[in-house]
Amino acid sequence: MAQPPQPELRLDSDAGAVFVLESKGKWWHAGFHLTTAIVGPTILTLPYAFRGLGWILGFFCLTVMGCVTFYSYYLMSLVLDHCEKAGRRHIRFRELAADVLGSGWMFYFVIFIQTAINTGVGIGAILLAGECLQIMYSNLSPSGSLKLYEFIAMVTVVMIALSQIPTFHSLRHLNFASLVLSLGYTFLVVGACIHAGLSKNAPHKDYSLESSSSSRVFSAFTSISIIAAIFGNGILPEIQATLAPPATGKMFKGLLMCYSVILVTFYSASVSGFWAFGNKSNSNILKSLMPDDGPSLAPTIVIGLAVIFVLLQLLAIGLVYSQVAYEIMEKQSADVNQGMFSKRNLIPRLIFRTLYVIFCGFMAAMLPFFGDINGVIGAIGFIPLDFVLPMLLYNMTYKPKASSLIYWINLFIMVVFTGAGIMGAFSSIRKLVVDANKFKLFSSDVVD
């Protein structure tokens, strides 16, 4: 059986070591990284997710997934602490999974899932940033000729420049700004939704679900996948690796900071957006506030500031997830070409990262499916990595008795979310195929 490569700490050959060996972070730095990884503009999709679930099931799923992910991330931090105390400090998710589960295939499975997540988030961040620029442009110049793919190209150029930031730890100040921005645009959007819901031009509020039973089921599982993607964070070990050792207890404090922000932002955005627009909620609630067939439903200055805040935070999110994608690709390439990505040889890294960002930008321009991309990423990426693997890793590491409550809680979560992931993947891919009839390549409109 193939054995996973072991962590190497040689700076001249391991790009991953260069990436994480700057382990100088405090617990609040981890909180900044976690918040940027989870609390992003995807929360503007929550009203859209609620329209497939309704009020009661929407609140239930949002709360359950919040509790499960907090519990899941805490268990994973305990597993990482346990390995560190045993002399095996893991700086990569894939090596942690392979070590605990003792299987070479698991190493490559995690690489595949993480790469899919990071690339999907990179595509989604560039797409949403391009859409934000388009919203600003259409408001300033309603008859302008620029298309969505041109704004995506602009964002891609900026991301190419920012992609050269060398390490995760280097992002700590940027990620603090990201945290502040997430609170800022959430409050602006909540205020805008309340204003829209109370205005004389307020849309008709209809909270009913689809009439067909099968459509309701598919929509519900797609919405569950979207919420999973919004709560998802497939890079927790890499974030914990930025902490100055020993990391014991620090991640718990970081998680408390992150979930305090989540509590404020997720519920306020979902309630205000779904209340104002009901089952007409767009996959980007900013688009609902600026309908194509009528006047803006909120003050232009409020929407404009929210769009700017979203745009700025998207750059930070793209950087956080792309850093891990770079590390995966550069580490694997470095194994084949020794020293290719060393500190002394920066040209290959520059070229590699530039090509990766160009690929994400091209895919964002060619396939503008924001809501559908969220659903697919949640189902095939975040659910197995964040709702299943951490419980399995904990049970394999700490080996709780089969009669213990924690063993059965973990087993129950794994079974339920494995089933939800399978159904969510089917529902999300089905919706992607259905929506394929609504767009043209390099369309100037994002498909819900």
Side-chain angles (χ1 to χ4, degrees):
M1 179 180 294
Q3 292 301 314
Q6 294 301 311
E8 297 176 7
L9 301 184
R10 289 166 47 206
L11 292 178
D12 62 338
S13 63
D14 190 351
V18 176
F19 164 68
V20 293
L21 273 182
E22 196 175 28
S23 299
K24 303 176 182 177
K26 309 295 185 182
W27 68 264
W28 54 88
H29 295 151
F32 300 159
H33 297 323
L34 285 165
T35 304
T36 299
I38 300 175
V39 185
T42 49
I43 66 175
L44 303 180
T45 312
L46 279 169
Y48 175 78
F50 265 51
R51 85 181 198 182
L53 296 167
W55 282 113
I56 296 175
L57 194 54
F59 269 117
F60 176 77
C61 290
L62 189 66
T63 303
V64 167
M65 289 197 177
C67 294
V68 169
T69 50
F70 183 91
Y71 174 70
S72 167
Y73 299 147
Y74 177 61
L75 289 189
M76 195 185 302
S77 72
L78 293 180
V79 173
L80 287 162
D81 289 343
H82 182 275
C83 292
E84 182 176 350
K85 291 174 182 175
R88 306 188 313 276
R89 185 171 189 250
H90 292 294
I91 59 178
R92 303 176 178 95
F93 200 143
R94 58 191 183 276
E95 288 164 358
L96 169 67
D99 178 26
V100 174
L101 301 176
S103 173
W105 69 266
M106 182 57 70
F107 177 86
Y108 296 103
F109 171 76
V110 174
I111 284 182
F112 171 76
I113 295 295
Q114 271 197 314
T115 302
I117 287 174
N118 296 329
T119 303
V121 171
I123 293 170
I126 292 175
L127 173 58
L128 188 54
E131 187 181 23
C132 286
L133 286 177
Q134 185 188 39
I135 290 172
M136 295 170 63
Y137 174 74
S138 62
N139 190 55
L140 296 172
S141 179
S143 59
S145 60
L146 292 180
K147 305 297 183 183
L148 176 63
Y149 61 82
E150 294 174 280
F151 294 109
I152 289 174
M154 297 176 196
V155 175
T156 301
V157 171
V158 175
M159 287 299 296
I160 288 172
L162 294 176
S163 70
Q164 307 310 316
I165 293 177
T167 67
F168 210 143
H169 185 62
S170 305
L171 301 177
R172 62 195 183 281
H173 303 304
L174 187 64
N175 286 343
F176 170 68
S178 170
L179 186 155
V180 175
L181 288 169
S182 68
L183 290 171
Y185 66 68
T186 299
F187 293 146
L188 288 169
V189 168
V190 168
C193 287
I194 293 173
H195 181 278
L198 297 176
S199 71
K200 62 180 182 180
N201 295 319
H204 174 66
K205 297 179 178 62
D206 183 0
Y207 307 113
S208 61
L209 301 178
E210 296 179 74
S211 56
S212 167
S213 298
S214 60
S215 295
R216 285 200 299 271
V217 171
F218 285 128
S219 294
F221 277 105
T222 300
S223 295
I224 289 170
S225 298
I226 291 172
I227 296 175
I230 293 171
F231 272 109
N233 166 27
I235 56 175
L236 187 136
E238 286 82 356
I239 291 176
Q240 185 157 329
T242 66
L243 290 171
T248 303
K250 295 177 183 176
M251 279 301 286
F252 182 71
K253 295 178 182 178
L255 283 168
L256 287 177
M257 174 193 286
C258 174
Y259 274 77
S260 297
V261 178
I262 285 174
L263 185 65
V264 172
T265 56
F266 281 33
Y267 282 93
S268 60
S270 56
V271 170
S272 61
F274 190 59
W275 169 77
F277 299 102
N279 57 21
K280 301 298 182 184
S281 299
N282 196 281
S283 63
N284 179 354
I285 203 64
L286 292 172
K287 298 285 283 186
S288 297
L289 290 165
M290 299 181 67
D292 295 330
D293 56 353
S296 174
L297 297 176
T300 302
I301 184 64
V302 173
I303 296 178
L305 276 175
V307 169
I308 291 171
F309 288 177
V310 167
L311 179 62
L312 292 174
Q313 201 209 14
L314 281 167
L315 300 177
I317 291 172
L319 284 173
V320 165
Y321 280 93
S322 61
Q323 284 281 357
V324 179
Y326 301 149
E327 187 278 324
I328 290 173
M329 294 183 292
E330 291 171 8
K331 174 62 173 69
Q332 301 312 306
S333 297
D335 288 342
V336 178
N337 304 285
Q338 292 297 321
M340 180 177 178
F341 294 106
S342 68
K343 280 186 173 180
R344 297 185 298 274
N345 194 6
L346 299 179
I347 299 301
R349 174 175 287 117
L350 186 151
I351 296 172
F352 209 83
R353 295 184 177 196
T354 299
L355 291 175
Y356 175 80
V357 176
I358 290 174
F359 169 77
C360 289
F362 180 78
M363 295 301 294
M366 187 173 70
L367 303 170
F369 293 105
F370 183 62
D372 294 349
I373 286 174
N374 262 345
V376 174
I377 292 172
I380 69 172
F382 286 119
I383 285 181
L385 227 55
D386 294 333
F387 293 84
V388 178
L389 263 182
M391 287 68 180
L392 180 60
L393 293 173
Y394 182 88
N395 282 0
M396 294 291 290
T397 300
Y398 286 91
K399 296 178 172 58
K401 294 181 179 179
S403 58
S404 65
L405 180 61
I406 192 169
Y407 175 88
W408 286 102
I409 289 175
N410 290 348
L411 185 62
F412 176 76
I413 292 173
M414 285 189 286
V415 171
V416 168
F417 280 97
T418 297
I422 293 171
M423 286 297 299
F426 180 78
S427 301
S428 300
I429 293 172
R430 171 186 172 273
K431 189 172 188 304
L432 195 64
V433 172
V434 170
D435 286 345
N437 296 320
K438 300 179 182 178
F439 90 112
K440 293 182 283 188
L441 289 176
F442 301 100
S443 170
S444 193
D445 296 304
V446 176
V447 178
D448 281 341

